[in-house]
Amino acid sequence: MKLIFSILFVLIVIISGCKNVDDEIETELNTIQQASLESGIPSADIIYKKEITDNDAFSLFQIPDGYGVLHFTSKEDGWGYRGHSGYQYDIGDITSFTLSQSAWHKGDISLDKDSLYTTVFLGEIIDPKINKIIVEYDNIKREASIVKNKDRRFWYLLSEQEDGNESVNMVSAYSSEGKLLYIEEG
């Protein structure tokens, strides 16, 4: 009998001394890389990521005959994949650069308030002499960012507006010496 009480006492001491394991488990938040797996785009083809705000992010990806943009929003469990836009072209038809545009809804969709959007202008730079891209849209003129990935270069510019109705007036491409090489009207 003493043996049974001793065993029960030891078990009670061991069990009461254990911490609640649930208290120590921290919820791991999804990263943009983890969320991008939902897109079906191979990780090796995702060449750039940018968090725009605490709730909005995007990634650029490349495919052999084009490129695209993945859209993300933050959720309780981290970043979530919202969708993507892809652009294809025949490389033999382009000598300078390409121009595309993608817009997606910010945050949760609500019927009670005005919808806000994120718009990104983007493209691929084909001519190796191009060193700078200037985008003019809706009376705004800004320099685009250039992203390099091995032997390919891409450019992007985030719109300052949030209505999703932006349209490009003109894109200008310049050499490293500042010489205007190409103009593309939108």
Side-chain angles (χ1 to χ4, degrees):
M1 196 67 163
K2 285 184 176 181
L3 181 61
I4 293 175
F5 285 122
S6 298
I7 292 173
L8 284 174
F9 178 74
V10 169
L11 285 175
I12 291 171
V13 170
I14 291 173
I15 291 172
S16 65
C18 291
K19 291 184 178 179
N20 187 349
V21 176
D22 290 338
D23 292 342
E24 291 188 6
I25 295 176
E26 292 183 23
T27 304
E28 186 175 317
L29 300 179
N30 279 342
T31 64
I32 292 174
Q33 290 87 350
Q34 291 167 324
S36 67
L37 296 175
E38 295 177 43
S39 72
I41 306 292
S43 296
D45 292 336
I46 298 173
I47 59 172
Y48 180 78
K49 68 175 179 166
K50 178 154 182 85
E51 290 183 32
I52 304 167
T53 66
D54 290 342
N55 299 316
D56 198 20
F58 74 93
S59 289
L60 298 177
F61 67 89
Q62 67 181 24
I63 55 178
D65 55 349
Y67 54 89
V69 59
L70 298 162
H71 318 139
F72 305 97
T73 190
S74 67
K75 302 177 180 180
E76 287 181 16
D77 61 346
W79 290 102
Y81 170 68
R82 293 285 294 270
H84 70 275
S85 302
Y87 308 94
Q88 291 183 295
Y89 53 88
D90 183 357
I91 192 73
D93 293 341
I94 299 169
T95 58
S96 57
F97 63 92
T98 63
L99 167 62
S100 304
Q101 177 175 329
S102 181
W104 61 93
H105 191 272
K106 283 184 168 184
D108 294 328
I109 297 172
S110 170
L111 300 175
D112 297 336
K113 62 180 182 176
D114 292 331
S115 295
L116 299 176
Y117 294 86
T118 299
T119 300
V120 63
F121 308 107
L122 67 155
E124 183 167 1
I125 299 171
I126 308 301
D127 187 335
K129 291 181 268 181
I130 296 174
N131 192 47
K132 181 166 79 169
I133 300 279
I134 301 292
V135 179
E136 295 179 43
Y137 68 97
D138 301 335
N139 297 319
I140 298 171
K141 184 177 182 178
R142 293 193 33 227
E143 183 175 346
S145 298
I146 295 177
V147 176
K148 297 176 185 177
N149 185 40
K150 298 179 184 168
D151 59 344
R152 294 175 75 181
R153 294 184 304 147
F154 302 88
W155 66 271
Y156 77 88
L157 177 68
L158 286 167
S159 172
E160 294 177 3
Q161 297 174 212
E162 295 183 320
D163 62 8
N165 294 318
E166 299 85 343
S167 60
V168 171
N169 301 331
M170 186 180 335
V171 178
S172 306
Y174 295 86
S175 69
S176 59
E177 294 82 30
K179 179 182 175 189
L180 178 61
L181 300 173
Y182 303 98
I183 294 178
E184 178 78 27
E185 293 192 20

